[in-house]
Each structure stands twice: as C-alpha cells, then as structure tokens.
Amino acid sequence: MMKNFVLATALSLSASWSTASKPCLEARPSLPREMKESIDQLVERRMQHGHIPGLSLVVLREGRPVYVRGYGSANLESGEPMTACTRVSVGSTTKAMTALALMQLVEQGKVELDAPVTRYLPWFQTADGRGSGILVKQLLSHTSGMPAKSLLEGTTDDGALERRVRSFSQLSLAFAPGQGWMYSNTGYAAAGLIVQTVSGMPYEQYLASHVFQPLGMKHTSFGPPPEETGHLAQGYVWTRGDTRPAPMLLAREQHPAGSSTYSSARDVSYYLAALLAKGRGVHGRVITPESLHQMWQPAAATSADAAYGFGWELGSMYGRQVVYHDGSVVGGGSMFMLFPDDGLAVATLANLNGAHQQELAKAVAALLLGAEPPPAPPLVYRAPSTFVPDTSVWQKYVGDYILPIYGTMRLYVESGRLLADWTYTTPTQVLELEAYGDNDFVIRNELGINEGLNISFQGTPDGQVLLLMNGQPFGRRL
C-alpha cells in the first residue's frame, strides 16, 4: 500500500517538474558507413558480453549529434526496444547538472563559491562541529569532508531534501574541509538544497525551468515520467548469473546527486552539444564560457593522472584531454564523455548498471579517435558453489568491520549463511558471502550491489583481521 502511494506521488510530481512531451524521433545517422558498422558491431558484442538488456548511444562530432540510437530491449518482458527516446535512470551524471544550476546562481551574484554553506543554510552543521567550515565550492568538488553515503530509497514529499540535509548534523566529517577528496552524495544533496533555497523554488522545478527547457530536454524528469509520455526503460540487475527486473527505488532527498533522474539519449545529445558550444543550447545560453571553464578546472586530484572539477572528472584519454562522469544506480546507469578540443562527445545510457556500459563509451570514443579500444572488462561471475562449508570456521570472521570511506559492515551467521549488514547504503543492505572455500567467498545481493566481488580474510601479526575485496584490503575488524 505504501509502495503504491509513493509511486503515485512520484508520478504526480514528475508530471509537474518535467517539460511538455512531444514525439521523439531517432536522429538520422551522418557517420560514414564503415564507422557506423564498426560502432554497431562493438556495441552489440559488448552488450552481450556484459549482459546489458538495452543501451542507447550518443555520438557528437564537430559539436553536433551524428549518431543517436538505441540497441537491445528497453523491456525484456514486453519486448519494447530501446530507442534514442527511451528514458533511463542515469544516476550520478546528474551531479554536473546540479553544479551547472549552482553556477548559474553564482553568475547572478546570488551565491559565492568561496562563501561558507552556512551563509545560505544558516542551520547547517555536522556532529563534530566542523560543518560550519565547509565552503560552497567544496561541495561541488567533493573536498568538503562530507562522508560517502548511498541512499537507495527514501521519500518524495516537498520537505525531503531539507530533512536529508538537516540529518547531516548526526554525521562527522571524514577530514577537515578542503584537506582531502572523497566522492560524496551527501555533499551534492547540500549543494542542491542551496539551489532550492536561494532560487526560492523546488530543486526539480529550477532544473526543469533553467536547464532542461532551455536545452530542449523535453524528455528529462526527476522520478519516473508520467505514463502518457511513454518510453520508460525497465531497469535490471545482474545477480547470481541471471538478469532480473530491478525495483524502482525513489528518493527525492537525493535528487541532486542523481538518485532518480530519467533522461533519453536524444536529450543527452542536446545537453552535450550545449556544453561543447560553451554553454549555448537550442533555446539560449545556460552558462557562460567562463563559468563552464571554471567547472572544468582541477579542484582536487583523484589519482596520479586524474582530477575532479565541479561535477566532472578530468583527465586524458587517447592522448587528448577528456571531461567525463559516470552514473550508476540500481537498474540503470550512464557515461558522459566530452573531448572539448576535438568537438567530440560520446555517451551511453543503459538499463543495467556497472562497468560494462561505462567502458563501452570509452571503446566507442577510441574508434572515433582512431585509437585501439580498450578490452572489455571481465565479467564478474562464478557458477554457484558446490563447496560444503564448515560453518564453525566462519566464527573467525564474524564481527564488526570498519571500512574507510564506505561505513561499517557487520558479519554474522544466520540460517547456515554468512551474511553482512553494510551501512554504506540506506536502507542498510544485506550481502550474502557465498562460500567457495574456507577463506574464499563471493558477494551475492538481490539488487546486484557488489555482486560477484571476491571476499577473503587475512590475519595480521598484531591480531587484527583484515577484510580483502578482490585481494585488496577493504576494511578491518574492530
């Protein structure tokens, strides 16, 4: 009953926030036939390898869309095909849209990037008292110290976003503001609330009016689109060697971070074209070239050869500068890539999350740039175990583990299974550790979260127990 109410509410909200619907047609391809065939073969081969039911592709050359189409199934049960118009839950590629919206307010003089968050949210604080030192720009660059948390399902009422940000008073920072980098959905929730508070309109309405409409993104909404607009992909998860329909998880309090942004390849082509045009969309400018340039400047290093700006990752690929971001939610995902100096952009949207659709975008970009596509990532799957465990051995592993960045994990034995409650996600997810040996486990989860990753344990000379994920230290027992 509650689930039906939440869904009905979300549909109503989506109808209010989305732009008017018009027929969406596939773009006429203007790539050379040989390139088109090479792309089609690569996409179809890698979709099959990664068990991706449906995927849509966006290619821009010289700043304009030249290939926008769908592959596979939007819905395996009904047989509906994926098209350029099919809406998919894109995930964290939304963060760059949130950053763009906030930069619009900066341009209007309503927000200062170097101002503390408390100038716009006077009550904002964290449990350790350090929240008052967070600057607006640090929310956008993941340098605020706000902890990494993933909200899978929440509420959809008008007060959801502010309630979420007020709840951060119970969280402690992972590091002092500006003194590190940690990818943080919580930080982007706060950034979205600044947009909402300063603009005086709901976050979703602001994005629809000031980003989506000016760019011609008529098939983009928060929460699932109303039924009359059609073209909604069914999401899927890959778990226990099978592709299964994913539940629709809604959380308005996490919209600015990308919990449930639905968009189509056609709309994404308009969005990326505007970025390559330095902020000018089909119905006018949404950001100045100077502000966009600032978004694409390194604000923090994320690795030896990559950095993060405002809502975008920055690096080099195939000898060229690239601006990119991926998105991943239960039942969907995306990858947006721009090569500004080449006027090139590639994007993928898929109704199954994971590395395969993200790496597929990189492979298509390689073809377009005359480079060798990177190999497809290995499929993480082991057949069901035939090992008969001695469950008494598991007592060496049970207990509470601290996972740097990713919260805590409690391991326990129940009904002959080794289980783990993982607090990184809200609600807390239960992972099963399927035994393939006394110290050889594989994660299983009905939502496909960390599905197939290998877990083992290692003792240390000082008596600690380390939890290893794919052979690398991931946490330690308290």
Side-chain angles (χ1 to χ4, degrees):
M1 185 70 177
M2 179 61 70
K3 187 74 172 180
N4 291 337
F5 170 78
V6 170
L7 179 56
T9 303
L11 291 173
S12 174
L13 291 170
S14 177
S16 300
W17 298 331
S18 60
T19 57
S21 175
K22 292 183 180 180
C24 176
L25 303 175
E26 297 257 354
R28 178 176 297 177
S30 54
L31 282 175
R33 181 175 59 84
E34 295 80 4
M35 177 60 71
K36 173 185 170 297
E37 291 176 352
S38 294
I39 289 175
D40 288 348
Q41 291 171 7
L42 183 146
V43 171
E44 291 165 0
R45 184 170 61 249
R46 295 207 176 186
M47 283 179 64
Q48 183 177 14
H49 172 73
H51 297 280
I52 300 172
L55 178 140
S56 51
L57 174 71
V58 177
V59 174
L60 279 72
R61 265 184 163 176
E62 298 180 357
R64 63 186 184 88
V66 295
Y67 203 42
V68 184
R69 63 155 297 186
Y71 302 83
S73 298
N75 189 307
L76 292 171
E77 289 70 37
S78 70
E80 180 183 352
M82 184 75 84
T83 73
C85 315
T86 305
R87 300 193 203 202
V88 175
S89 186
V90 298
S92 287
T93 43
T94 305
K95 289 182 171 67
M97 302 175 189
T98 300
L100 189 155
L102 202 149
M103 290 299 291
Q104 289 178 339
L105 298 174
V106 171
E107 292 175 359
Q108 297 167 26
K110 297 179 180 179
V111 173
E112 292 184 18
L113 290 171
D114 289 312
V117 172
T118 51
R119 179 181 297 181
Y120 311 103
L121 309 175
W123 44 262
F124 182 80
Q125 191 50 275
T126 54
D128 54 11
R130 297 191 291 180
S132 58
I134 297 175
L135 306 181
V136 173
K137 65 182 181 182
Q138 292 166 345
L139 298 176
L140 299 182
S141 59
H142 298 302
T143 57
S144 67
M146 291 295 294
K149 296 283 286 184
S150 179
L151 183 64
L152 297 180
E153 189 167 26
T155 56
T156 60
D157 64 279
D158 290 345
L161 179 57
E162 182 171 331
R163 269 200 320 275
R164 175 70 170 169
V165 178
R166 285 185 179 274
S167 75
F168 298 162
S169 63
Q170 303 171 31
L171 302 177
S172 294
L173 299 187
F175 50 80
Q179 299 303 304
W181 186 87
M182 177 184 290
Y183 190 84
S184 174
N185 290 317
T186 54
Y188 263 81
L193 185 60
I194 292 175
V195 171
Q196 176 169 291
T197 303
V198 172
S199 70
M201 62 179 69
Y203 164 85
E204 299 85 358
Q205 183 181 335
Y206 182 90
L207 268 287
S209 299
H210 296 273
V211 179
F212 302 154
Q213 288 176 2
L215 295 182
M217 299 171 69
K218 296 181 173 66
H219 297 84
T220 299
S221 61
F222 293 93
E227 288 184 6
E228 58 266 24
T229 66
H231 303 297
L232 176 64
Q234 166 65 52
Y236 294 91
V237 297
W238 170 259
T239 176
R240 301 181 189 272
D242 191 19
T243 302
R244 305 179 185 182
M248 185 176 290
L249 304 179
L250 305 174
R252 187 176 176 186
E253 54 262 62
Q254 206 66 13
H255 278 175
S259 64
S260 45
T261 307
Y262 287 79
S263 191
S264 69
R266 194 69 181 275
D267 277 14
V268 170
S269 73
Y270 297 148
Y271 172 59
L272 299 181
L275 297 180
L276 289 177
K278 299 183 178 180
R280 184 173 294 280
V282 295
H283 299 305
R285 183 171 295 282
V286 294
I287 191 171
T288 65
E290 294 77 16
S291 293
L292 186 60
H293 177 75
Q294 188 172 8
M295 290 176 66
W296 289 351
Q297 292 302 299
T302 58
S303 67
D305 56 358
Y308 203 94
F310 292 166
W312 290 97
E313 297 183 65
L314 315 168
S316 60
M317 195 175 297
Y318 314 126
R320 293 165 169 83
Q321 293 300 306
V322 61
V323 180
Y324 63 102
H325 210 290
D326 64 86
S328 183
V329 292
V330 174
S334 62
M335 181 69 163
F336 297 172
M337 305 177 64
L338 297 129
F339 298 83
D341 294 341
D342 299 271
L344 175 70
V346 176
T348 52
L349 299 80
N351 57 355
L352 184 143
N353 69 358
H356 286 85
Q357 64 91 10
Q358 297 163 14
E359 294 299 320
L360 198 156
K362 297 177 183 179
V364 170
L367 288 178
L368 293 162
L369 292 169
E372 182 68 25
L379 184 63
V380 181
Y381 175 64
R382 289 168 76 176
S385 176
T386 58
F387 176 74
V388 179
D390 176 359
T391 57
S392 65
V393 173
W394 297 349
Q395 295 305 316
K396 297 187 297 183
Y397 311 137
V398 299
D400 295 321
Y401 289 75
I402 183 72
L403 314 177
I405 301 177
Y406 296 107
T408 62
M409 188 176 284
R410 181 176 72 91
L411 268 65
Y412 56 98
V413 179
E414 184 177 284
S415 302
R417 300 186 300 164
L418 182 60
L419 303 177
D421 292 343
W422 191 29
T423 62
Y424 172 69
T425 60
T426 304
T428 296
Q429 280 296 297
V430 178
L431 311 179
E432 179 182 353
L433 276 60
E434 183 177 5
Y436 286 75
D438 286 337
N439 189 20
D440 180 13
F441 301 88
V442 165
I443 291 178
R444 303 298 184 196
N445 176 261
E446 294 307 308
L447 296 181
I449 295 173
N450 285 346
E451 171 73 24
L453 294 181
N454 296 311
I455 296 291
S456 58
F457 300 89
Q458 178 180 307
T460 65
D462 59 358
Q464 293 189 29
V465 176
L466 301 180
L467 184 153
L468 309 181
M469 185 173 289
N470 285 351
Q472 299 299 316
F474 191 69
R476 63 177 178 82
R477 189 169 65 183
L478 296 174

